[in-house]
Amino acid sequence: FPSHDMATLPARSRVGKGGDHFRLKYKVTVEEIDIYLEMMCCIRKILLPEEGESEITYGVSFENASQADRISLMAFVNTATLGH
């Protein structure tokens, strides 16, 4: 789940190791408006799947996100948190 500067991201296969950087392209919907985000991320933590699970969970931080992407992400988080 994202915050304004960090998120947990599930993945079915390995994305990288701690400290690796990658470009995240993500669609969020706020008030029925689709917003496409693109930002650099750094892997901060990796949680391997527990027995019977298949997804790896990555803790990532957003780096050098544009002001527009940060505002869009905050709007998405606030909407999701409030359940709207």
Side-chain angles (χ1 to χ4, degrees):
F1 192 79
S3 71
H4 69 280
D5 61 355
M6 298 189 79
T8 55
L9 303 174
R12 291 195 175 109
S13 60
R14 286 212 173 254
V15 173
K17 61 185 185 308
D20 283 354
H21 291 82
F22 65 97
R23 181 171 309 280
L24 175 70
K25 294 181 180 183
Y26 194 75
K27 180 181 90 170
V28 298
T29 302
V30 178
E31 298 294 326
E32 299 182 17
I33 299 170
D34 291 337
I35 302 168
Y36 297 89
L37 305 174
E38 183 175 339
M39 56 187 84
M40 289 302 296
C41 296
C42 180
I43 298 172
R44 299 294 179 193
K45 187 171 187 174
I46 302 170
L47 299 172
L48 297 176
E50 294 191 21
E51 189 173 329
E53 295 180 359
S54 61
E55 290 185 337
I56 302 167
T57 302
Y58 290 89
V60 301
S61 63
F62 304 123
E63 300 190 343
N64 302 318
S66 71
Q67 186 175 16
D69 282 347
R70 293 178 73 78
I71 290 169
S72 297
L73 189 58
M74 284 190 287
F76 171 73
V77 169
N78 290 338
T79 300
T81 302
L82 296 174
H84 293 263

